[in-house]
Amino acid sequence: MGNGYGIWISFVLAVWSYVAMIANLGPTWLLNDPIVSGLFVGAVVGNVPLGLALGGTLELMSLGLWTYGGATTPDYTTGAIVGTAFAALSKLPTTEAMAAGMAVAVPVSLFMTQLDILGRSLTTIFIHGADRAVEKQDDAAFSRWHLLGQLPWGLSRAIPVFFAIWLGSGPIQTLITNIPAWLTRGFTTMGHILPALGFGILLTFLPIEKWWTFFVLGFVMFAYLNVPLLGIALTALAIVLIYFSLKPVEAAQEEAEEAAAEKVEQAPSPVTRKDLVNAMWRHNLTLQLSWNYERMQALGFAWSISPILKKVYPNKEDYFAALKRHMVFYNTNPAIGSPTIFGAACALEEKKQPEVSDSLKVSLMGPFAGIGDTVMAILMKPIFAVFAASMALRGSTGGAWLMLALGFIWFYLMFPGFWLGYKQGLGLVHQMSSGAVTRITDIASTAALFIMGGFIPSILASVKTPIEFTKKVTIEGKEVLQTVKLQTTFDAILPYMLPLLLTFGVYWLLKKKHWTNLQVLLLLVVVGIVLGAFKLL
């Protein structure tokens, strides 16, 4: 197994790994499922049953794994590609070839988590390039930065797959073995703390100094009461609505609201159905192409809604100001959740209600992430995966087609999800007026802060310190060594202390010290690598 394949087969499999990753990022097609990739590679190298068997085995290993909040998991798809290729190359009997393939597939899958972290970190370059393009009012460059954001994702798979297949297993295993542990830890820690920048940026757009009590309520529910995000969202909605229903509205204000509401309804819309369809396809196909640790899906959302913004804000200055508003942190389930949020945002922007649009995004992304991830990762995918794996292990290609069907179901549901959100957004606009806008914006902002109180610690939960202290204590006249974990001490004082300190430290640098996003990013990269390398975080 020391020798690899020719350049042609290596290139084909590298292209497949690139396309499979991008298809999963955008329309959620499951080309990157281990069984689907096992079938494709098996067909290319002339051993379909072996590819299905390896893919089915790795599929079962991936049960329960999901990229919650952008978490990195073992890349069993790349493992299936490389493992199947080497297993077929070995020319061994099926059982022994399976063992040889798995011996390569598992370490490759684990090794790819490090390249995945590197790829997700490099995409941060693209969102800062888009920031500069917006500042320079260069729309073409803005689009390029988003569309080119796929390169770190796709190449982080295609390049190692090409060289693994071409060179053979020996050099790859040597590379995996010789990566310094400190560098691996550093990149992992950097990936864990980078979302704090996105949250810090987001908090600068929310009135946290005015409504900080709602943030505290959300944090207490998550940290002390273990309430899931959906429960926090429902509670936030109830409490916020009760709070604002108790605030009286003056009669004169009500009359002004009714008059303004009629004016809103009569105003002709510059947005056509063609514009909405254009925006919808952009969102459904490319939302996550430029996903990055810092602001996650923000650039994809901004690029998708840009056709609407161009019509609503024909003035160049206003258009780029609107784009900048949508470049803040955004992350939710891309198939169940984001289309509906995006549709509502399009409707609100169409009727020039930007404050409500921004607050609605923040308040809904967490709950929809919880709903979508639960439906997709806990309810549906394991059921499909078990049936698909059982078929694949019996040598049936039906398992691959079953997983492909699941991916196309998610893709199909994105379209009615968009129109549902759009219609609900229009309904919300029709109830607005000059006074009501402020009231609804306050409701959405406070609900967003309430939910952020739980959302921030949930995403940054992996920011912990492994530091331990050992001291001698006397117990019943005998000296014994006692280990004190620093993280346990922090948790006793305040759960999720480090995520909160990190996030509000970033917020302080941005809001009070007026650091740029890039300055804070570079600081987090250096701090993450150093703290991870020295096992401090």
Side-chain angles (χ1 to χ4, degrees):
M1 288 179 62
N3 297 322
Y5 289 87
I7 289 181
W8 174 244
I9 289 181
S10 302
F11 178 75
V12 169
L13 297 185
V15 170
W16 169 262
S17 67
Y18 187 104
V19 172
M21 170 52 63
I22 301 308
N24 183 62
L25 277 179
T28 69
W29 297 336
L30 291 179
L31 298 184
N32 74 329
D33 183 81
I35 298 175
V36 176
S37 286
L39 171 62
F40 179 83
V41 177
V44 170
V45 300
N47 198 330
V48 169
L50 189 58
L52 290 171
L54 268 163
T57 302
L58 293 170
E59 184 80 56
L60 293 174
M61 293 176 65
S62 70
L63 287 178
L65 295 179
W66 190 258
T67 55
Y68 299 100
T72 298
T73 60
D75 184 1
Y76 290 117
T77 300
T78 302
I81 294 172
V82 177
T84 299
F86 285 137
L89 190 65
S90 68
K91 306 298 183 183
L92 295 170
T94 302
T95 303
E96 296 179 23
M98 269 286 295
M102 289 298 294
V104 174
V106 172
V108 165
S109 301
L110 297 174
F111 169 64
M112 287 304 298
T113 61
Q114 307 308 317
L115 292 185
D116 187 43
I117 291 171
L118 178 61
R120 295 182 187 213
S121 302
L122 289 175
T123 51
T124 306
I125 297 171
F126 293 82
I127 193 165
H128 284 282
D131 285 336
R132 293 192 297 273
V134 170
E135 293 295 335
K136 296 177 181 178
Q137 299 187 351
D138 188 341
D139 199 39
F142 170 76
S143 295
R144 284 196 300 272
W145 280 113
H146 169 60
L147 297 175
L148 292 176
Q150 64 180 289
L151 292 176
W153 285 95
L155 294 178
S156 68
R157 270 67 177 180
I159 292 175
V161 165
F162 175 82
F163 284 104
I165 304 299
W166 184 43
L167 296 176
S169 62
I172 300 303
Q173 290 177 333
T174 301
L175 174 63
I176 294 172
T177 303
N178 289 304
I179 292 180
W182 65 267
L183 185 59
T184 298
R185 291 193 305 269
F187 277 121
T188 301
T189 302
M190 179 188 68
H192 288 165
I193 71 173
L194 278 181
L197 178 55
F199 286 127
I201 295 171
L202 188 57
L203 288 176
T204 63
F205 286 88
L206 291 173
I208 189 167
E209 294 179 355
K210 179 180 179 181
W211 303 110
W212 61 269
T213 50
F214 288 91
F215 180 91
V216 173
L217 284 173
F219 174 77
V220 169
M221 290 184 66
F222 181 84
Y224 290 96
L225 303 179
N226 297 317
V227 179
L229 286 177
L230 180 58
I232 294 175
L234 294 174
T235 306
L237 180 62
I239 291 178
V240 168
L241 289 178
I242 292 172
Y243 174 80
F244 282 97
S245 68
L246 297 176
K247 298 182 71 174
V249 180
E250 299 293 335
Q253 182 181 338
E254 290 181 349
E255 293 179 5
E257 290 173 0
E258 292 176 2
E262 293 178 2
K263 184 178 179 181
V264 169
E265 291 178 3
Q266 294 172 0
S269 172
V271 177
T272 66
R273 183 176 177 86
K274 183 179 179 181
D275 297 324
L276 292 169
V277 171
N278 182 13
M280 177 180 65
W281 275 101
R282 285 184 175 213
H283 173 276
N284 293 356
L285 288 175
T286 76
L287 174 65
Q288 300 194 109
L289 279 189
S290 53
W291 193 103
N292 59 89
Y293 274 128
E294 181 185 322
R295 279 174 266 171
M296 299 193 176
Q297 299 164 342
L299 178 52
F301 193 102
W303 187 76
S304 300
I305 205 171
S306 61
I308 307 299
L309 301 180
K310 285 179 182 177
K311 289 295 187 71
V312 175
Y313 304 103
N315 179 276
K316 196 173 183 181
E317 299 285 341
D318 295 338
Y319 165 67
F320 281 101
L323 265 186
K324 190 173 183 178
R325 282 193 293 104
H326 285 288
M327 292 282 283
V328 299
F329 181 93
Y330 176 78
N331 191 55
T332 191
N333 186 281
I336 300 177
S338 191
T340 303
I341 297 172
F342 182 73
C346 287
L348 292 165
E349 291 288 357
E350 179 182 344
K351 298 301 182 181
K352 293 192 175 181
Q353 304 296 337
E355 297 88 354
V356 184
S357 173
D358 295 343
S359 297
L360 191 73
K361 285 170 56 181
V362 178
S363 61
L364 292 183
M365 65 181 180
F368 272 115
I371 294 171
D373 288 353
T374 298
V375 171
M376 294 181 72
I378 298 176
L379 296 180
M380 298 299 295
K381 188 175 186 295
I383 296 173
F384 274 71
V386 168
F387 280 106
S390 64
M391 287 189 282
L393 291 171
R394 293 197 304 268
S396 170
T397 60
W401 294 112
L402 184 62
M403 297 309 295
L404 284 173
L406 178 61
F408 283 113
I409 289 172
W410 300 137
F411 181 59
Y412 171 79
L413 291 176
M414 296 171 81
F415 295 91
F418 170 84
W419 292 114
L420 172 65
Y422 179 74
K423 291 176 182 177
Q424 293 301 315
L426 287 180
L428 180 62
V429 170
H430 291 160
Q431 300 174 33
M432 290 182 183
S433 61
S434 58
V437 168
T438 301
R439 192 175 181 86
I440 294 175
T441 300
D442 283 343
I443 291 173
S445 297
T446 51
L449 285 169
F450 200 125
I451 295 165
M452 289 291 287
F455 198 54
I456 288 175
S458 72
I459 295 294
L460 295 173
S462 56
V463 179
K464 300 178 179 179
T465 178
I467 297 175
E468 298 179 352
F469 298 100
T470 302
K471 63 179 181 179
K472 290 183 179 181
V473 297
T474 303
I475 300 178
E476 296 181 353
K478 296 182 180 179
E479 281 194 348
V480 296
L481 290 177
Q482 186 179 63
T483 300
V484 178
K485 295 183 178 180
L486 187 57
Q487 184 62 47
T488 303
T489 304
F490 286 158
D491 291 340
I493 300 171
L494 179 67
Y496 302 101
M497 178 189 291
L498 292 181
L500 287 180
L501 290 175
L502 180 63
T503 301
F504 282 98
V506 170
Y507 171 77
W508 178 74
L509 290 173
L510 293 170
K511 185 80 171 183
K512 304 300 182 181
K513 305 304 290 183
H514 305 292
W515 281 34
T516 65
N517 295 345
L518 182 58
Q519 288 174 317
V520 179
L521 171 65
L522 294 175
L523 176 65
L524 291 180
V525 168
V526 173
V527 168
I529 292 177
V530 171
L531 293 182
F534 287 96
K535 299 182 180 180
L536 299 176
L537 199 65

